[in-house]
Amino acid sequence: MTLFVLGSLSFVTPWLLTALIGLPGLWWLLRVTPPAPVQIIFPPIRILERLISREESAARSPLWLILLRLAMIAAIILGASHPLWNAASLLEGRGPLVLVVNDGWASAVDWPARQARLVSLVEQAEREDRKVLLLTMAQSETHAKPVPLQLILPVDARKIVASLQPKPWLVDLDATLKRLEAFDRATIGNLGHVFMLSDGLARPGRTELLEALRQYGRITVVADPLAQRAMILRQPLSKGDVLEVEAVRVHEQGSDMRWLRAVGEDGRLLARESFVFSPAKRVATVNLKLPTELRNVLSRLEIEGHDTVGSVVLLDERWRRRPVGLVDHAGIVAKQPLLNELYYLERALAPFTEVRKGGLGVLLERELAVLMLTDSGGLRAGEKEKVEKWIERGGIMVRFSGPKLSEKPDGLLPVKLREGDRVLGGTMSWSKPAKLKAFEDKSPFFGLELPPDVVVNRQVLAQPSLDLDKKAWARLSDGTPLVTAEKRGQGWLVLVHTSANTSWSNLPISGLFVMMLRRIIALSQGTVAQKDGPPLAPFKILDGFGQLQNPQSHVLPIASAEFERADIGPKHPPGFYGTQVSRRALNLSSKINDIQAQDDLPGWVRSNTYEALSEVDLRPWMFGLALALFLADFIATLILRGMFKLRRAGVVASVLLSVTIFGTGGAFAQTQDNFALSASLQTRIAFVLTGNKEIDDVSRAGLDGLRTVLAQRTAAELGESVGINLDRDSLSFFPLLYWPITGDQKKLTPEAVAKLNGFMRDGGTIFFDTRDKTGAEHAVVLRELAAQLDIPPLISMPSNHVLTRSFYLIRRAPGRWDGGRIWVERAGSRVNDGVSAVIVGSHDWAAAWAMDEAQRPLYTPVPGGERQREYAYRFGVNVVMYSLTGNYKADQVHLPAIMMRLGR
């Protein structure tokens, strides 16, 4: 099948245009055929005597009527020939269409445009009866070995293209080339056309791949313009109370301002800072300063509006200011701070930790990573027992020596001490003040540079023992231990054999002291897994768009010791590994040294952009025009035959056009009384009419499908869903309003704003669905819409929210898509029985729920298929039950107490 092209206009079935030759004959036929004569009904004879007929019948059809009918027939012929405006360039050759798709992380920048181009190319292949050879460049998620290439039919290629998603790892050009070389080129015969959908990034091996593809036909490489290509966000550097973050782009053209978003564990936006790429610069730096309370709940950094896994950095305890407790014995600040040991510790720790001071009992009641105890003598029995349990659970206790400890040591020490202390360089000592010995490789301090002026004048000595060498982390030049440590359970007990002030050593006023404390605190459990711990199981992983989701079965644990060196791929995608309490972040940007653009293609390769062509199918417009002309001809014929007066004909035409254009969307809104009666007789769920018939039909089919599931699985009996016109219809009859967001959402009228605010205030719930998986495509539209309404503060839906257990116990809430976040009203913002007035998501739930009349699903959920649809149904049931029954399920938190009182 070959397209017939006239400039920007193409025809899929051009042979039907030959019917236009018959238009002159049709002109003659219509011209000589007069309209039917006017019929006059005979009145009674008395009136007949007075009748004077002044009406005459035309001998020929009027010219305007002939032209109207010719235009109608021409529109039908043109519509049947399937015209296309701006059809994509014709495929060259007579062989198959070869599609080479870059589905790595950088392709997520504008994935809908890539999928649209893929669909357009597959449709061309189908029109021209060509087979398709589809080759993806990123490693598959589910196959250890790549599937051999094979020619497929366009109908099968369309299904594969619809399910393609960007992978959250790098593409493998070597593996792609091997798959291509393993394919038998002789099986396809003639040369075809090769389209490579690229991300525009430079990679070694691309020239070799293009050379291999050259034998399959003409090559066209499609890529985004420079300004729209991917960028990466580097892992931040912690510099005191500031996080220094770098963003890298692929080009140096012009300046570009972007926004960095800091997001907490619960999805809250903690900070938003701007940064600018200067002209001729590819790197931009932003300094993010957050209070300790916010920094300790910081979970991710992301570039706003740039939804790729490379522009997201997940943060774990390594970037947090871990809380360190300083035991304050006196409870007051000494009058001479330079004599106070806490003074030196606090100033050494403040730049990189959160310092908490107080009594030992008070500190142990709070969350701590490290506990530091200055010279205090012995601990009381109750305190000693609490500290030992705290250490065994993973805490680190650091003790400093002094006169009290040397006189009265207790059992909470890593080594046994000799009685008294050792004075170096005193009047009663022959020795000089001792310097430090270089740190051994087994010590946490290994690699730190020793200042030559650091000396120790006094220390407590450890009793010699067989395991003393293993416990020594630091030694003096004469070999005596300065820092000893012992593993206790999951934690550490550390002893510094000198004081924390300058009375025994000048170590506390040196930079080495700060670095030693940092190394000790880095060993703390906090909530980060240890290198020598068990393998880290996948907890949450990132998809290609940078959204966290539950790990699939193919994702494997990572050995703790190998975590920093782990290769990112299908087995180990970026994300969080470990547990909710102890987890580590694996970021894609940590594995990318640099990104650069590559546009230097060989001369025999064509280049194009994703937005270069915008194909429009004119067939619906032609048939719509023919229908409108038919209605106009029908009404004109009735008028010419005298069957209706002009006024009555105008009313009939208006009714017919309204029914034709608007269909049945306003069946419930014929009159306000009928609407109120219909909506109040049964409980119904409403959806907002967008004006887009396809979207409105999906909403109606989705809510009706959910109504069927509710009837089968619950006691809820709902009526048919109702399409709502916000300017005309009342919202007071509905508990739940489903609102699909479109890119051409119009600004709300004051009447609609008042209705919606009243609906939320009176206990109704609005379910916003942007239908674009991540929410990025319609984020601006939704933000502008929310600015008009009285939207309460929103947070990312917690895992223990009532929506996860109002009927089904669920952990996932996918729709047709999966991976985006769901936003609900923050607890305590309103009353209304604790029910969120707003639910915001992007998973296109209506499409996942939609059924036809035979209760067959209409759309395929991606990527989980029917299992994902079942989760979508369960979430839909939970939403409806939540809006109907309120927040009563939250009382389940009291169930253990109730059962205990009942003695069960």
Side-chain angles (χ1 to χ4, degrees):
M1 187 181 300
T2 303
L3 289 178
F4 178 67
V5 182
L6 292 174
S8 297
L9 185 63
S10 305
F11 296 90
V12 177
T13 53
W15 62 270
L16 287 175
L17 296 176
T18 56
L20 295 174
I21 301 175
L23 288 181
L26 187 61
W27 164 279
W28 176 83
L29 182 62
L30 294 175
R31 189 168 181 270
V32 300
T33 303
V38 177
Q39 295 180 357
I40 301 176
I41 300 175
F42 285 95
I45 299 203
R46 278 188 309 176
I47 300 177
L48 182 60
E49 294 175 352
R50 303 177 184 177
L51 178 62
I52 299 177
S53 178
R54 300 182 180 274
E55 298 189 25
E56 298 176 352
S57 298
R60 295 182 177 180
S61 298
L63 178 61
W64 61 268
L65 184 60
I66 296 174
L67 296 176
L68 179 68
R69 291 174 176 175
L70 289 177
M72 177 183 65
I73 296 173
I76 294 174
I77 295 173
L78 291 173
S81 63
H82 200 166
L84 301 173
W85 185 261
N86 275 342
S89 57
L90 296 176
L91 300 179
E92 297 185 3
R94 293 182 295 173
L97 168 66
V98 181
L99 292 177
V100 183
V101 184
N102 185 317
D103 56 340
W105 70 272
S107 63
V109 174
D110 193 10
W111 185 254
R114 287 166 168 76
Q115 257 188 333
R117 176 55 65 90
L118 283 171
V119 171
S120 175
L121 291 171
V122 171
E123 288 179 348
Q124 289 183 66
E126 188 173 19
R127 291 194 295 261
E128 300 184 17
D129 198 21
R130 299 181 185 226
K131 290 188 176 181
V132 178
L133 187 66
L134 183 60
L135 177 62
T136 55
M137 301 171 68
Q139 190 175 352
S140 172
E141 294 178 339
T142 56
H143 297 90
K145 294 183 179 180
V147 178
L149 293 179
Q150 57 181 349
L151 290 172
I152 57 177
L153 296 174
V155 64
D156 298 322
R158 187 184 292 110
K159 296 178 182 179
I160 297 176
V161 165
S163 63
L164 276 180
Q165 294 293 310
K167 310 296 190 301
W169 47 78
L170 304 176
V171 297
D172 190 343
L173 295 188
D174 291 337
T176 304
L177 183 59
K178 290 179 181 178
R179 289 185 66 196
L180 190 63
E181 291 174 346
F183 179 73
D184 187 3
R185 163 69 180 81
T187 60
I188 65 175
N190 297 322
L191 292 178
H193 200 150
V194 180
F195 276 86
M196 175 183 285
L197 274 66
S198 171
D199 58 13
L201 301 187
R203 293 184 181 88
R206 192 180 72 156
T207 302
E208 291 78 1
L209 181 60
L210 289 174
E211 288 287 352
L213 290 169
R214 192 175 185 181
Q215 60 179 319
Y216 290 85
R218 184 75 178 187
I219 300 178
T220 300
V221 175
V222 188
D224 279 316
L226 278 176
Q228 299 179 15
R229 296 184 189 177
M231 59 181 68
I232 60 174
L233 194 66
R234 295 291 187 192
Q235 294 187 152
L237 298 176
S238 182
K239 295 186 175 181
D241 58 349
V242 173
L243 288 176
E244 184 179 277
V245 191
E246 284 188 351
V248 184
R249 62 178 179 175
V250 299
H251 63 90
E252 302 175 353
Q253 297 181 3
S255 62
D256 186 13
M257 190 190 79
R258 298 279 180 166
W259 290 91
L260 177 72
R261 291 167 51 90
V263 182
E265 292 181 346
D266 58 356
R268 286 185 301 149
L269 180 63
L270 305 180
R272 186 171 180 262
E273 294 287 342
S274 63
F275 61 95
V276 178
F277 290 100
S278 302
K281 297 289 185 181
R282 293 197 303 113
V283 179
T285 304
V286 56
N287 292 323
L288 185 64
K289 185 175 182 180
L290 292 172
T292 302
E293 293 78 10
L294 293 183
R295 182 164 169 175
N296 286 342
V297 297
L298 180 62
S299 178
R300 64 186 278 152
L301 300 173
E302 60 189 20
I303 300 176
E304 185 174 277
H306 198 82
D307 298 311
T308 72
V309 67
S311 61
V312 172
V313 171
L314 300 179
L315 304 178
D316 54 32
E317 284 290 331
R318 289 173 289 176
W319 287 277
R320 294 183 178 178
R321 295 168 63 87
R322 301 186 189 176
V324 176
L326 300 181
V327 180
D328 187 358
H329 308 292
I332 57 173
V333 179
K335 294 182 179 180
Q336 296 294 332
L338 296 181
L339 300 178
N340 187 0
E341 293 177 280
L342 297 182
Y343 174 83
Y344 296 92
L345 289 175
E346 186 173 1
R347 277 151 183 77
L349 296 170
F352 61 93
T353 64
E354 178 188 358
V355 179
R356 299 172 179 174
K357 293 195 300 182
L360 182 60
V362 175
L363 290 175
L364 290 178
E365 292 178 357
R366 305 181 65 183
E367 292 185 0
L368 292 176
V370 178
L371 183 66
M372 293 191 177
L373 183 65
T374 56
D375 185 33
S376 60
L379 296 175
R380 294 190 295 269
E383 292 179 337
K384 181 180 176 182
E385 184 180 352
K386 290 181 180 179
V387 171
E388 288 178 339
K389 290 182 178 179
W390 178 82
I391 295 174
E392 291 177 355
R393 290 196 301 267
I396 293 182
M397 183 176 187
V398 182
R399 300 191 66 174
F400 291 86
S401 302
K404 296 180 181 179
L405 184 63
S406 63
E407 294 176 4
K408 190 179 179 181
D410 55 36
L412 193 60
L413 296 170
V415 295
K416 290 184 179 181
L417 299 180
R418 295 182 183 180
E419 293 184 2
D421 53 67
R422 178 193 184 197
V423 179
L424 303 171
T427 57
M428 301 299 294
S429 173
W430 294 99
S431 61
K432 297 180 180 180
K435 295 185 177 182
L436 274 67
K437 185 180 179 180
F439 300 117
E440 300 176 3
D441 56 0
K442 65 179 181 179
S443 169
F445 310 135
F446 178 71
L448 295 180
E449 185 177 354
L450 299 178
D453 56 342
V454 173
V455 294
V456 176
N457 300 311
R458 196 170 180 177
Q459 68 175 137
V460 293
L461 292 175
Q463 286 278 11
S465 63
L466 295 176
D467 59 352
L468 183 59
D469 287 343
K470 296 180 180 180
K471 295 181 178 181
W473 282 2
R475 296 176 183 271
L476 296 180
S477 56
D478 61 2
T480 57
L482 180 66
V483 180
T484 55
E486 182 183 26
K487 185 76 171 177
R488 297 277 185 93
Q490 297 182 4
W492 286 92
L493 178 59
V494 183
L495 174 64
V496 181
H497 291 238
T498 189
S499 64
N501 58 13
T502 56
S503 61
W504 283 20
S505 168
N506 65 353
L507 177 64
I509 58 174
S510 68
L512 177 63
F513 186 67
V514 177
M515 297 306 299
M516 291 174 68
L517 292 179
R518 294 193 71 156
R519 291 288 181 92
I520 293 174
I521 294 172
L523 291 175
S524 64
Q525 291 267 355
T527 59
V528 67
Q530 298 298 298
K531 291 184 177 181
D532 56 351
L536 302 175
F539 176 66
K540 292 284 185 178
I541 64 171
L542 291 169
D543 63 8
F545 299 102
Q547 300 298 321
L548 284 172
Q549 58 184 8
N550 294 323
Q552 303 293 328
S553 58
H554 59 81
V555 183
L556 303 178
I558 304 176
S560 299
E562 301 294 327
F563 190 84
E564 297 296 338
R565 299 186 294 272
D567 293 328
I568 292 180
K571 295 181 180 179
H572 306 308
F576 283 121
Y577 287 77
T579 64
Q580 177 69 38
V581 177
S582 177
R583 61 186 181 182
R584 296 193 69 178
L586 183 63
N587 292 305
L588 177 69
S589 60
S590 66
K591 307 296 181 181
I592 302 176
N593 294 326
D594 192 17
I595 55 171
Q596 293 184 359
Q598 185 170 18
D599 290 319
D600 52 335
L601 296 171
W604 40 270
V605 176
R606 294 176 182 174
S607 62
N608 208 333
T609 63
Y610 291 102
E611 298 180 354
L613 296 174
S614 179
E615 182 178 295
V616 179
D617 190 349
L618 297 180
R619 179 165 55 178
W621 295 95
M622 290 294 102
F623 284 141
L625 176 62
L627 179 60
L629 293 175
F630 171 77
L631 291 173
D633 177 80
F634 176 71
I635 295 170
T637 302
L638 293 178
I639 295 174
L640 290 176
R641 296 182 64 178
M643 297 183 66
F644 291 97
K645 298 298 182 181
L646 187 59
R647 182 180 301 176
R648 187 182 303 171
V651 174
V652 173
S654 300
V655 172
L656 289 174
L657 287 175
S658 298
V659 172
T660 302
I661 296 174
F662 297 105
T664 61
F668 284 94
Q670 294 175 0
T671 66
Q672 291 297 324
D673 292 340
N674 291 339
F675 176 85
L677 182 62
S678 174
S680 59
L681 289 177
Q682 279 185 295
T683 302
R684 302 177 186 273
I685 299 176
F687 64 92
V688 175
L689 292 170
T690 63
N692 185 317
K693 187 177 185 302
E694 181 179 356
I695 295 176
D696 293 343
D697 289 345
V698 172
S699 298
R700 185 182 301 279
L703 294 184
D704 285 343
L706 181 59
R707 176 173 64 94
T708 301
V709 173
L710 282 162
Q712 294 171 348
R713 306 185 183 185
T714 73
E717 297 182 0
L718 305 182
E720 293 183 359
S721 57
V722 181
I724 291 294
N725 185 314
L726 294 176
D727 295 329
R728 182 182 64 226
D729 300 328
S730 173
L731 306 179
S732 58
F733 304 102
F734 310 103
L736 179 65
L737 180 63
Y738 178 79
W739 193 333
I741 302 299
T742 61
D744 55 354
Q745 176 69 47
K746 297 180 180 179
K747 188 175 181 180
L748 298 175
T749 63
E751 294 79 8
V753 170
K755 285 182 181 180
L756 290 168
N757 287 335
F759 176 73
M760 292 186 289
R761 186 172 54 252
D762 295 338
T765 297
I766 303 178
F767 189 173
F768 292 98
D769 187 356
T770 59
R771 306 175 300 104
D772 55 356
K773 182 175 182 179
T774 63
E777 183 177 347
H778 296 148
V780 176
V781 177
L782 186 59
R783 195 177 297 117
E784 293 176 352
L785 189 64
Q788 299 177 257
L789 301 173
D790 184 16
I791 300 291
L794 302 179
I795 62 171
S796 182
M797 186 177 73
S799 58
N800 61 345
H801 193 270
V802 180
L803 273 173
T804 64
R805 60 180 189 270
S806 58
F807 190 85
Y808 286 106
L809 295 177
I810 60 174
R811 287 198 228 170
R812 299 174 52 200
R816 188 182 182 189
W817 316 118
D818 193 7
R821 290 198 292 265
I822 300 174
W823 302 83
V824 295
E825 183 176 348
R826 188 172 62 197
S829 299
R830 300 184 182 223
V831 285
N832 292 337
D833 199 18
V835 176
S836 177
V838 173
I839 302 172
V840 181
S842 56
H843 291 167
D844 196 4
W845 282 277
W849 301 332
M851 300 179 181
D852 60 13
E853 295 179 356
Q855 297 185 11
R856 293 173 298 192
L858 297 179
Y859 300 92
T860 302
V862 176
E866 293 307 310
R867 182 175 179 83
Q868 181 172 321
R869 189 192 309 280
E870 174 60 25
Y871 281 115
Y873 283 142
R874 294 184 181 185
F875 178 67
V877 171
N878 279 15
V879 170
V880 174
M881 301 302 289
Y882 176 67
S883 61
L884 291 177
T885 62
N887 209 16
Y888 81 99
K889 281 282 185 174
D891 290 336
Q892 283 191 344
V893 71
H894 305 298
L895 186 59
I898 295 173
M899 298 300 289
M900 184 179 296
R901 289 184 181 182
L902 294 175
R904 298 181 183 177

